[in-house]
Amino acid sequence: MYKLVLIRHGESTWNLENRFTGWTDVELTATGVEQARQAGRLLKEAGYEFDVAYTSVLKRAIHTLNHCLDTMDRDWLPVVKDWRLNERHYGGLQGLNKADMAKQYGDAQVLVWRRSYDTPPPSLESDDPRGQRQDPRYARLAPEQIPLTECLKDTVARVLPCWNEAIAPAIKAGQRIVLAAHGNSIRALVKYLDNIGDDDIVGVNIPNGIPLVYELDADLKPIKSYYLGDAEAAAKAAAAVASQGKA
Ligand code: 3PG
């Protein structure tokens, strides 16, 4: 049996301001740092050890991982940073307030933008300063690989190659992995691992900074999954994420 630990980053400045973030590279808040440290404490107390860590190229996930590993006294672990674990690109919604959008367009429309499997939010123009086509961290990608918007289906389409090429083979080779990423890149993985249907994934929300443990069989099929620590608190935190898009 294998174990895989997924952690959504701690609260970011734009989580606090309730703004669509996507590929915008915002910092953790003090609460977010504490959530990351608490994740590290939970993992340490439960005796978790890792061989390698994965994260995105966005600092809210990278710093969450760093704080978590520092709390575990495992700062020295090798870390792979892969853009394919980035948050879903939120297109033209990036920077806008989620509740304001719900007031303007209605809760149902915002739910479609946030949670539908295959309807992307409005696209950015390719020269929009909120886009990433001039960002040096993506310089090795072809322009068309750098999204101007993404639905969850698009996110799955880039997360899964990362899983299949890098993460799954590493797990099968016996590497114990912790992965710090984002609400929707983790939803993409959860959808795949748990084989969740396109309609049912709408109801899945990932709370900030709580380790989500997957126990996997030899074929990497989930035996069970659970949040470490207080299950009720994790459920409440997930429900609070769901509510962020309501007027
Ligand atoms: C964002 O990019 O705005 C958040 O990290 C995830 O947002 P969501 O919960 O609205 O999808």
Side-chain angles (χ1 to χ4, degrees), residues 8-9 12 14-15 18-24 26 60 87-90 93-96 98 110 113-115 182-184 187 204-206 208 241-242 244-245:
R8 182 183 177 194
H9 62 82
S12 73
W14 280 19
N15 289 148
N18 203 21
R19 294 163 79 180
F20 287 102
T21 315
W23 283 34
T24 315
V26 298
R60 58 194 188 275
E87 181 55 285
R88 173 262 284 267
H89 198 292
Y90 253 118
L93 297 178
Q94 289 190 175
L96 302 176
K98 297 178 189 182
V110 171
W113 283 332
R114 292 182 75 211
R115 292 292 175 263
H182 302 264
N184 294 292
R187 286 176 72 239
V204 175
N205 289 279
I206 310 290
N208 294 91
V241 171
Q244 287 164 354

Side-chain angles (χ1 to χ4, degrees), residues 199-215:
D199 293 336
D200 290 336
I201 194 64
V202 173
V204 175
N205 289 279
I206 310 290
N208 294 91
I210 306 179
L212 173 56
V213 180
Y214 271 86
E215 297 184 4

Side-chain angles (χ1 to χ4, degrees), residues 188-209:
L189 262 182
V190 164
K191 183 178 192 302
Y192 170 74
L193 289 172
D194 289 330
N195 198 17
I196 299 175
D198 299 358
D199 293 336
D200 290 336
I201 194 64
V202 173
V204 175
N205 289 279
I206 310 290
N208 294 91

